[in-house]
Amino acid sequence: MFTFRTSRFHLENDLRLSVTKTTLEDHKVNKTFKNVFSFAMPFLQASLVKQILVGLILGTALAMVWPAAANEVGILGTIFVSALKGVAPVLVFVLVMSAIANQELAGDVHIRSVIVLYLISTFASAFTAVLASFLFPTTLTLMNVEAATAAAPAAISEVLRGLLLNIVDNPVHAIANANYIGILSWAIAFGIILRCARPETRIVLQDAARAVEIVVQLVIRFAPIGIFGLVANTLAQEGLGVMLEYGHLLLVLIGAMAFVALILNPFIVFCCTHENPYPVTLMCLRESGVSAFFTRSSAANIPVNMEICRRLKLPESTYAISIPVGSTINMAGAAVVITIMALSAAYSLGIEVSFASALFLSIVASVCAAGTSGVPGGSLMLIPLACGLFGIDQTIAMQVVAIGFIIGVLQDSTETGLNSSSDVLFTIAACKRAERLQKAKAKEA
C-alpha cells in the first residue's frame, strides 16, 4: 500500500510539473503570437486606402529586390481580378434593378430643378473627360491584348449595331458572359416592371442588393493583396516605366475633375443665379469637398451638406430630398473616371475612337455614373460596361479596373469630393434661381 501511494504521489507530482511546464510554454507561445499580431494590428485595422498603399509599396520593393519571386506572386493579382470579374455582372444587374424598383420620384419644382442640374453636370463632365482624353491621350501597359484588338469596332455604326445586339441578348447569357449592355437593359426593364410589385417584393430586392454589396465588399477587402501581386508582377516584367503611365493617367483624371469643379460647375451656377458663382463654389469645396475627400463617401457626407443648407436657411423641404438624391445620382466625378479609363483602354489597344463614338460613350458614362453610389469600388466597377462599347474583352477591362485601384488613393478621394460638394452647390443654385424668378414675377406684378 505504501509503495502504491508513493508511486501515485510521484505520478501526480510529475503530472503537475508537466502541466506547469506546458502552461508556461503555451504562455510563451501566446505571448509571441500576441507580439506578432500587435505588430500587425495597425495594418490590419487601418483603412483600405492605407492597406492598398502598403501593398503598392511592398509590391514595388519586391519587384526591385527579387524579380523572380515577384513573378510568382502575380497569381495573387490574377485571383483578385478573377474575383472582380465573377461578381461584377451580378452586382450591376441586382443593384440597377433594385434601385429602379425602389426609386421614389419627387414632385417639388425645386427638386426637379436640382435634379436637372445634376444631370446636366454629369453629362457635361463626361463630355469634358472626352475632350481631356483627346487632348492628353493615355496608354496603359496591359497583358494579353491580342484577342481584344481583333474584334474592335471601327466606326459609330458598328458600335450601334453591336449595342443593339447586346441589348436583346439573353439575360442569363449576358450575365454569364459579362455583357454589361445586356445586363443593364434587362435590369432596367425588370426594375421598371417591379415598381408595380408589392412592397414585400421590393424589400426582397433591397435585401438581395445589400447581400451582393456585402460580397463585393469582401472581395475588395482583399484588394491590398491583389494590388501587391499585380504591382510586383507588372514591375518585374515591364519595369518602373509603368508607374509613369499611372502618374500620367492620374494627372489627366484629377485635371479633368478640377476643371469641372472650378470652371464647369461655376458656369452652370452662374446660368442659374446670374451672380458671381465663385464665393459659393469655393465655400462648398472648402466645407463639403474637403470632408468628402477624406471620408471617401458621399453618403457619409450627407450630414455635412445638410448642415451647410441649414446654415444658409434654404428650404428644408428641398434640401432634405435633394442632398440624399444627389449622393445617389449626381456623379460628375464618376462620369469623368469611367470615360477617361475606358478611352485609355481603347488607346492602349490601338483602337481608333471617332468623336461620335466618344460622344456616345459620354452619354453611356453619364447613365452608368448615376448607379455608382451603391457600388463598392464606385465608378471603377462600371468601367467594363463602358469598355464593352468598343468591343474590349472583359479580361482587359478588369486590368484597367485594377489599375484604377492602384491610383484610387487619390482618384477616389478627388472623385468623391467633387460629387459631394456639387450636391450642395446645385441645391443652393436651384434655391437661388427660384428666389430670382420669384422676385422677377413680383416686379412684373
Side-chain angles (χ1 to χ4, degrees), residues 218-253:
L218 291 175
V219 172
I220 291 180
R221 285 306 303 177
F222 289 93
I225 299 174
I227 296 303
F228 165 73
L230 287 170
V231 170
N233 184 55
T234 302
L235 291 183
Q237 294 184 5
E238 306 293 338
L240 284 174
V242 177
M243 300 305 292
L244 298 178
E245 295 177 0
Y246 298 164
H248 182 271
L249 175 62
L250 187 61
L251 286 176
V252 174
L253 286 169

Side-chain angles (χ1 to χ4, degrees), residues 44 78 100 129 131 156 190 254 287 302 317 366-367 380 410:
L44 297 175
T78 303
I100 293 176
L131 295 179
I156 185 65
F190 282 128
I254 294 180
E287 298 189 20
I302 287 176
S317 59
S366 301
V367 175
L380 299 178
L410 288 176

Side-chain angles (χ1 to χ4, degrees), residues 207-224:
D207 292 340
R210 180 56 184 160
V212 177
E213 288 178 27
I214 293 174
V215 171
V216 177
Q217 288 171 358
L218 291 175
V219 172
I220 291 180
R221 285 306 303 177
F222 289 93

